[in-house]
Amino acid sequence: MLDQGAPPRQRGTTGPASPGAVARLMRRKPVERLVAEGGQGEGGSLRRSLGLWQLTMISIGATLGTGIFVVLGEAVPKAGPAVTLSFVIAGLTALFSALSYAELAGTIPVAGSSYSYAYATMGELIAWICGWCLVLEYGVSVAAVAVGWGEYLNELLDGTIGVTIPDALSAPPGDGGIFNLPALIVVLLAMAFLLGGARESARANTIMVAVKIAALVLFCDIGVQGFRSGNYEHFMPLGMAGVSAAGATLFFSYIGFDAASTAGEEAKNAQRDLPRAIMLSLVIVTALYVLVAAVAVGAKPWQRFGDSEAALAQIMREVTGQSFWGTLLAFCAVIAIASVVLTVLYGQTRILFAMSRDGLVPKVFSRVHPRTGAPRANTVIVSLFCGVLAAAIPLGQLADATSIGTLFAFGLVNIAVVVLRRTRPGMSRTFRVPFSPVLPAVGLGLCVWMMGSLSAVTWVVFGVWMAVGLVVYFLYGHRRSRLAEPAPSEK
């Protein structure tokens, strides 16, 4: 009997015709196949060892810290006291996308995050573009966070032993240095934790998250003592354009709430716990960000925020007149920012794991160590790449490049949730975006608006990055895609 789904035979041929070029670019990976392949790698499988608490801590660990400890100093000069409003706008943008992430994470609980969601709904080329954006989101943000870690390490060293690392070895080229050694060191430390396996990394991250939350609560308690209402007299000195520009930069500080979705193949009950972890982490992080930003601007005139990336430690020292509190906060920030590096690096390795399993990047990225259940070669390669990037590029450029890649990927997720609702309406969903497709459309619109607020230089960098990604896809991924092969059950 003929297979009615097979392509028609062409005259003069003995077999079915190859699908057209456009059809090959639009081929989709069935959800059932995505889920069935979950956890499988080259030589071993990932281990399901993470519960709701660990997943929530992964998302908080990947999100909380970067924006408030580091990027706040970059954003306040753009918006003035209205930076608190910028945090709210960035948080709302993240919230709408988080709703879409939560639905898709509960429906397609795999490691690839939005890359896998796009593969199941919009086809291989869009999935590749999304995955390439995630490399920008996760890989480059690791480097950006590592740069800020070095700033707080110097604050800690200065407050404890009176010595700092020279600019030549603690700042990248363009910021007065030659090579940012601390940034490289923190990435290598995170790599060492990840090589031990997901469960061990999650334990270390949980401890670090507790420290960072305690540090921010302590800052609010002390910083409010130096609060001056006069610092809010000119609330929006640079207008709404400044607020939106700062919001686009601060969106970097929300990157990571989707990190739980990259752990879909290591979660004990992924369909139930992933949506909960994503939403819970975003609520906690947004509340802390707005509170800390409000206290920080109230305690220090906004015009003086551009002089350091370790702004919170300086505020503590200025308010109390003592170096002890600033040093203590710097110590907590060193631990807090290290947890961001750890969890975001984890997310990057799992996304590349999924892309490798699909054949779009080399197999080495999906090779699993049989003892630890971790993709060791993947972890080492990604860590070295991010570490060198962190040591060589200034923070501001890294943060904006990361934001535009993230916003693009989030926009695709908002589209994907609507597409899957229409193409597979009967699928079991543990969480559903309310008022769909209205809220996903709002999420998409906010992503586009915030992308438009970024600088022309950032857009040029993004364009070059995407062009390089398309070259890589057509020279390697398109030819080696496993989706061109029949599924094991079809062979």
Side-chain angles (χ1 to χ4, degrees), residues 154-417:
N154 260 339
E155 288 281 335
L156 177 61
L157 293 175
D158 184 41
T160 51
I161 60 177
V163 176
T164 59
I165 302 172
D167 287 345
L169 295 177
S170 62
D175 275 5
I178 299 174
F179 191 81
N180 194 329
L181 183 61
L184 176 61
I185 290 174
V186 71
V187 174
L188 295 180
L189 288 173
M191 179 187 76
F193 278 108
L194 291 175
L195 290 176
R199 178 184 294 178
E200 289 72 17
S201 302
R203 288 173 179 169
N205 174 64
T206 299
I207 295 172
M208 290 189 281
V209 168
V211 169
K212 77 168 77 177
I213 291 177
L216 292 176
V217 171
L218 176 65
F219 170 81
C220 291
D221 183 53
I222 293 178
V224 75
Q225 299 174 26
F227 192 92
R228 299 290 182 271
S229 59
N231 290 339
Y232 278 92
E233 283 184 358
H234 303 288
F235 183 69
M236 201 180 294
L238 302 173
M240 196 61 198
V243 173
S244 62
T249 296
L250 286 172
F251 190 78
F252 173 81
S253 62
Y254 286 92
I255 293 171
F257 76 80
D258 57 323
S261 66
T262 66
E265 295 171 22
E266 291 163 284
K268 294 177 182 177
N269 191 336
Q271 288 185 304
R272 182 195 68 186
D273 292 341
L274 288 180
R276 296 179 181 181
I278 290 171
M279 299 307 300
L280 182 60
S281 63
L282 184 61
V283 169
I284 294 172
V285 166
T286 301
L288 281 170
Y289 275 167
V290 173
L291 179 61
V292 173
V295 172
V297 175
K300 183 175 182 176
W302 69 271
Q303 298 91 335
R304 293 172 49 207
F305 267 82
D307 57 356
S308 173
E309 286 159 359
L312 299 190
Q314 287 191 352
I315 291 172
M316 293 273 278
R317 188 161 48 245
E318 292 171 3
V319 169
T320 62
Q322 301 175 10
S323 62
F324 170 77
W325 294 108
T327 302
L328 178 62
L329 187 75
F331 169 75
C332 294
V334 165
I335 295 175
I337 297 173
S339 77
V340 179
V341 175
L342 173 67
T343 48
V344 175
L345 192 63
Y346 166 85
Q348 175 66 96
T349 60
R350 270 45 180 187
I351 289 165
L352 285 172
F353 176 89
M355 297 177 73
S356 173
R357 187 174 55 207
D358 292 333
L360 301 186
V361 296
K363 290 183 178 180
V364 66
F365 289 100
S366 58
R367 191 173 299 152
V368 177
H369 192 273
R371 181 176 61 82
T372 62
R376 282 195 163 188
N378 179 345
T379 301
V380 172
I381 294 170
V382 172
S383 299
L384 292 178
F385 170 79
C386 293
V388 172
L389 197 66
I393 301 180
L395 170 65
Q397 297 176 20
L398 288 171
D400 284 349
T402 305
S403 292
I404 195 169
T406 305
L407 287 163
F408 189 89
F410 283 9
L412 291 179
V413 169
N414 284 296
I415 296 173
V417 76

Side-chain angles (χ1 to χ4, degrees), residues 93-108:
T93 303
L95 173 62
F96 285 109
S97 295
L99 293 170
S100 295
Y101 261 102
E103 177 169 328
L104 292 173
T107 309
I108 313 174

